């Protein structure tokens, strides 16, 4: 699976940190589900430039390993580690193959499973994630909402431009999007819209249980100073992604 973010690595994270979506919706929801990470050993898959790896480290994680398929993203994460050493280990790696020396307590992945082009690839990814977790360890991930809006321009005011209209007629259908990185568009990025049944089946076969889907939440700190108070209403009604939490049996 060729990485799609190499060409925008230098702009992606700076834009995401600047847009109100990340702190007020994405990160708020994610950490609401993740909870206390004190003294946990954590594997951050699809770490990108290491934003969430750094965040869980600063929240008290014992050790953090960040893995990403993009060499450019990992290089930027390592550069950030050099500038502000936190003890995070980064590697270029494939989520279907990477192996930790010791299993971890928590695996996180902000946008990963929906890059699986086939059910077989999805299964391989889920199975490998489980193999890197201790018994009772959790996997918390953001992934594309199986009921993502079919309206072509629905997410444009949030910087997400859907170039291929989802139909909800085909499980695993290809959807092409572009991100607006502060006025400059990324190359087209492809993901695959899998239904909940397919995702849950892959997770259960991999050895996960207690699967829970969580809709995005808006932080109570949102006061409209970076936009209207109702700015996120449409997004929260039909979010482009959901959080999923499960536990290794």
């Amino acid at each position: 699976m060729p990485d799609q973010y190499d060409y925008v690595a230098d702009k992606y994270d700076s834009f995401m940190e600047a847009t109100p979506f990340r702190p007020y919706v994405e990160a708020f929801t994610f950490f609401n589900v993740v909870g206390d990470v004190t003294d946990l050993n954590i594997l951050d898959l699809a770490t990108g430039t290491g934003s969430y790896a750094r965040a869980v480290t600063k929240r008290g994680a014992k050790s953090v390993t960040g893995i990403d398929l993009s060499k450019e993203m990992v290089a930027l994460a390592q550069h950030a580690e050099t500038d502000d050493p936190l003890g995070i280990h980064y590697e270029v790696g494939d989520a279907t193959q990477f192996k930790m020396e010791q299993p971890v307590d928590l695996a996180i992945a902000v946008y990963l499973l929906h890059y699986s082009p086939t059910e077989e690839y999805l299964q391989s990814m889920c199975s490998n994630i489980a193999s890197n977790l201790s018994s009772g360890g959790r996997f918390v991930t953001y992934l594309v909402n199986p009921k993502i809006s079919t309206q072509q321009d629905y997410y444009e005011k949030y910087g997400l431009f859907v170039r291929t209209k989802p139909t909800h007629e085909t499980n695993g259908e290809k959807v092409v999007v572009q991100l607006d990185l502060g006025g400059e568009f990324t190359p087209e990025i492809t993901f695959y819209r899998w239904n909940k049944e397919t995702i849950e089946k892959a997770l259960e076969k991999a050895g996960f249980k207690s699967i829970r889907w969580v809709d995005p939440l808006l932080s109570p700190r949102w006061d409209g100073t970076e936009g209207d108070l109702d700015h996120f209403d449409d997004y929260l009604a039909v979010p482009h992604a959901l959080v999923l939490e499960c536990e290794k049996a």
Side-chain angles (χ1 to χ4, degrees):
M1 182 178 65
D3 186 77
Q4 304 178 82
Y5 288 90
D6 279 339
Y7 299 110
V8 295
D10 60 337
K11 298 181 178 66
Y12 177 78
D13 211 53
S14 60
F15 171 73
M16 288 301 291
E17 291 298 337
T19 181
F21 171 75
R22 172 164 277 185
Y24 292 107
V25 178
E26 182 186 280
F28 176 76
T29 305
F30 189 70
F31 284 112
N32 188 62
V33 176
V34 167
D36 185 11
V37 298
T38 304
D39 292 331
L40 296 185
N41 297 306
I42 298 175
L43 173 60
D44 180 18
L45 294 155
T47 191
T49 59
S51 175
Y52 281 97
R54 291 190 293 274
V56 293
T57 301
K58 292 176 180 179
R59 287 169 178 250
K62 182 179 181 180
S63 69
V64 178
T65 299
I67 304 299
D68 202 283
L69 198 59
S70 168
K71 292 183 290 186
E72 298 297 330
M73 288 285 197
V74 170
L76 289 173
Q78 290 172 329
H79 183 72
E81 175 66 17
T82 299
D83 286 348
D84 181 18
L86 297 172
I88 303 169
H89 174 70
Y90 294 105
E91 282 191 36
V92 176
D94 190 326
T96 65
Q97 300 172 3
F98 181 80
K99 296 295 182 185
M100 294 286 290
E101 290 185 7
Q102 298 292 331
V104 298
D105 306 301
L106 172 67
I108 61 175
V110 178
Y111 309 127
L112 173 67
L113 297 183
H114 53 249
Y115 294 119
S116 301
T118 66
E119 288 190 52
E120 290 76 18
Y121 197 97
L122 176 64
Q123 185 63 64
S124 178
M125 195 178 285
C126 292
S127 296
N128 196 54
I129 293 168
S131 74
N132 284 294
L133 277 169
S134 301
S135 178
R138 292 187 302 142
F139 175 44
V140 180
T141 185
Y142 254 110
L143 71 162
V144 163
N145 182 1
K147 296 297 184 182
I148 188 172
S149 175
T150 58
Q151 182 179 321
Q152 196 81 33
D153 60 352
Y154 195 81
Y155 302 103
E156 288 190 5
K157 68 179 178 180
Y158 309 108
L160 182 67
F161 291 75
V162 181
R163 301 308 190 195
T164 304
K165 182 179 178 180
T167 67
H168 295 185
E169 295 174 359
T170 304
N171 187 36
E173 67 179 325
K174 181 189 294 186
V175 180
V176 176
V177 303
Q178 287 181 289
L179 303 178
D180 179 3
L181 303 184
E184 181 177 348
F185 285 98
T186 66
E188 291 186 342
I189 298 168
T190 298
F191 63 78
Y192 300 86
R193 190 199 60 79
W194 298 102
N195 62 33
K196 286 186 176 182
E197 293 75 18
T198 299
I199 296 164
E200 290 178 5
K201 179 182 176 181
L203 289 167
E204 289 169 351
K205 188 174 180 180
F208 286 104
K209 64 178 184 178
S210 305
I211 299 169
R212 181 170 75 103
W213 296 84
V214 181
D215 290 336
L217 305 168
L218 179 62
S219 168
R221 294 187 299 108
W222 174 251
D223 60 6
T225 55
E226 298 178 65
D228 297 331
L229 277 173
D230 62 357
H231 177 70
F232 290 109
D233 286 1
D234 290 339
Y235 180 83
L236 295 172
V238 189
H240 89 290
L242 307 177
V243 176
L244 183 149
E245 176 188 29
C246 53
E247 177 185 333
K248 183 178 177 180

